[in-house]
Amino acid sequence: MSLLSATLNRVKPSPTVAMTQLAAEMRAAGRDVIGLSAGEPDFDTPENIREAGKRAIDVGHTRYTAVDGIPELKDAICAKFARDNGLTYTPSQVTVGTGGKQVLYNALMATLNPGDEVIIPAPYWVSYPDMVLLAGGTPVIVSCPIETAFKMTPEALEAAITPRTRWLIFNSPSNPTGAGYGRAELKALTDVLMRHPHVWVLTDDMYEHIAFDDFTFCTPAEVEPGLYDRTLTMNGVSKAYAMTGWRIGYAAGPDKLIGGMRKLQSQSTSNPSSISQWAAVEALSGPQDFLAPNAALFQGRRDGVLAALNACPGITCPVPDGAFYVYPSIAGCIGKTSAGGAAITDDEAFCMALLEEQEVAVVFGAAFGLSPHFRVSYAASDTQLTEACARIRTFCEGLR
């Protein structure tokens, strides 16, 4: 009799976590590895937010809280949605979890039955399909290739919907591509959804405040108010506020759904960290003036990485609208052999050979559901990015 459940056997470990861990192990062994695999800002949490966390400790906010968030944080989240997205919610429609990942997991676990389908545009964040599988559902992957700028077309969405469809998971700007849907593009998708009232929308808006050039963020329930009653709008403080380790995600949606998620959380983790919740109150309610300069900093890094990667033989790198990733194609590298003798049969082979021969850690495209690509996180210093891109170019120039 197997110790591990059949449910667990349906999923795999996170490839992004695995690559980051491998890079850390190589550094610990003395290798000069540059890690561009982790999806987190490289600067510190703003001082006012750190101070709010310290105050929470000093005044004794260190006990259990309500299962899915303190009232003060729920009020701050309602105010954020009204301020930034034109969406009106009451605290009873809000849930707070231990990171956005738990919020997404709770939503899927609370709603999916065997046979239910979840539409996931690819490239996708690595955890979406596995969370659907854990919840007993069936991921329906919709390929969104480089020719469509990594975006799902209305026609592709329409073709993917069946009577069994329960959710569409929607992420913009995207991890891993940085592709963002403008208002007109999103309206075309929501028009499709309005024709299928049994399909709900689960958004991942984590990169809302990291937007570039003339791209303006918008979210489905904002663009199409008719979807308000069947949309869970998820966000968090991890990326924009450099609070990845604080582990606070949140979402707002219909009372019945939020109640189901609350029940599930009460029997799993219970409340998120009380200290982190008070820091998140300050993040959402305090000064927001650092968001635009931080986005500008990321945009500068994006431009430098784009120029460097597009100068590499065999690589084509589209321009992202936001987030802090690029997702270059390596179609011109497949079928070649590296200077170290590695056969580049696919994007995983490319990334493993790049790590071994040039000591640059990136994540292979198959992990995100679309090959042959790899993901670079440019949430790193200019010095690291310049050196990493130079190593990638050396690697590509050595392919034969």
Side-chain angles (χ1 to χ4, degrees):
M1 180 177 177
S2 173
L3 172 65
L4 301 180
S5 72
T7 298
L8 190 61
N9 289 336
R10 289 200 294 266
V11 303
K12 57 189 180 299
S14 167
T16 53
V17 173
M19 184 61 81
T20 301
Q21 179 63 31
L22 178 57
E25 291 171 358
M26 290 176 66
R27 276 194 293 270
R31 302 284 296 272
D32 180 26
V33 174
I34 301 175
L36 303 181
S37 57
E40 64 176 347
D42 60 311
F43 36 83
D44 292 332
T45 305
E47 184 178 4
N48 64 306
I49 301 172
R50 301 199 307 268
E51 290 299 323
K54 296 173 188 176
R55 282 197 304 274
I57 297 172
D58 291 339
V59 302
H61 290 316
T62 55
R63 301 181 184 276
Y64 293 134
T65 75
V67 165
D68 63 347
I70 58 176
E72 293 83 355
L73 181 51
K74 290 192 173 188
D75 287 342
I77 291 166
C78 291
K80 174 264 180 285
F81 278 126
R83 177 186 71 225
D84 295 342
N85 311 113
L87 294 171
T88 301
Y89 293 105
T90 63
S92 68
Q93 294 176 281
V94 172
T95 183
V96 182
T98 305
K101 182 178 281 190
Q102 184 182 27
V103 175
L104 295 169
Y105 182 84
N106 285 351
L108 295 168
M109 289 295 292
T111 58
L112 291 181
N113 293 306
D116 286 345
E117 296 174 351
V118 178
I119 296 172
I120 304 174
Y124 46 70
W125 180 47
V126 294
S127 293
Y128 296 150
D130 289 294
M131 286 193 286
V132 171
L133 291 168
L134 278 171
T138 301
V140 175
I141 307 303
V142 176
S143 182
C144 306
I146 195 170
E147 291 79 12
T148 64
F150 302 127
K151 300 178 193 179
M152 184 169 58
T153 65
E155 295 77 15
L157 173 59
E158 185 83 58
I161 294 173
T162 75
R164 290 182 175 272
T165 305
R166 175 60 66 95
W167 288 101
L168 162 67
I169 297 181
F170 182 79
N171 174 216
S172 169
S174 158
N175 175 6
T177 68
Y181 293 75
R183 182 171 289 267
E185 292 171 315
L186 184 47
K187 183 63 168 64
L189 295 179
T190 61
D191 285 349
V192 173
L193 295 168
M194 289 300 292
R195 296 195 291 271
H196 299 276
H198 67 291
V199 181
W200 285 53
V201 186
L202 178 50
T203 81
D204 180 347
D205 296 348
M206 275 291 178
Y207 298 92
E208 170 182 8
H209 294 297
I210 307 174
F212 309 139
D213 302 319
D214 57 355
F215 174 72
T216 301
F217 172 83
C218 51
T219 195
E222 171 190 5
V223 170
E224 176 47 75
L227 289 174
Y228 177 88
D229 290 329
R230 51 189 173 107
T231 298
L232 184 70
T233 302
M234 190 280 288
N235 210 316
V237 296
S238 60
K239 311 299 184 180
Y241 299 92
M243 294 176 68
T244 50
W246 296 79
R247 306 308 299 136
I248 294 291
Y250 59 84
D255 283 280
K256 187 173 183 179
L257 172 59
I258 297 299
M261 295 168 65
R262 183 185 306 118
K263 180 193 291 188
L264 182 64
Q265 191 160 308
S266 75
Q267 296 292 3
S268 56
T269 61
S270 196
N271 67 273
S273 161
S274 59
I275 298 158
S276 296
Q277 289 188 64
W278 283 101
V281 171
E282 175 63 21
L284 296 177
S285 304
Q288 308 290 302
D289 53 357
F290 62 89
L291 294 174
N294 283 356
L297 174 66
F298 280 127
Q299 182 171 334
R301 293 175 177 178
R302 176 203 69 172
D303 293 345
V305 169
L306 276 174
L309 291 181
N310 277 318
C312 297
I315 289 182
T316 302
C317 193
V319 181
D321 301 299
F324 39 70
Y325 310 104
V326 291
Y327 198 66
S329 166
I330 54 167
C333 302
I334 301 301
K336 297 185 177 181
T337 301
S338 74
I344 308 303
T345 54
D346 54 26
D347 47 36
E348 184 172 5
F350 178 96
C351 293
M352 296 309 296
L354 176 65
L355 178 61
E356 180 58 37
E357 297 179 27
Q358 290 295 329
E359 300 179 326
V360 177
V362 296
V363 186
F364 56 93
F368 306 100
L370 188 72
S371 297
H373 294 264
F374 66 95
R375 189 191 77 172
V376 171
S377 168
Y378 50 86
S381 71
D382 290 341
T383 301
Q384 286 181 306
L385 293 172
T386 299
E387 174 62 20
C389 288
R391 295 183 188 184
I392 294 171
R393 180 166 182 167
T394 298
F395 180 80
C396 291
E397 289 174 343
L399 295 175
R400 295 292 181 268

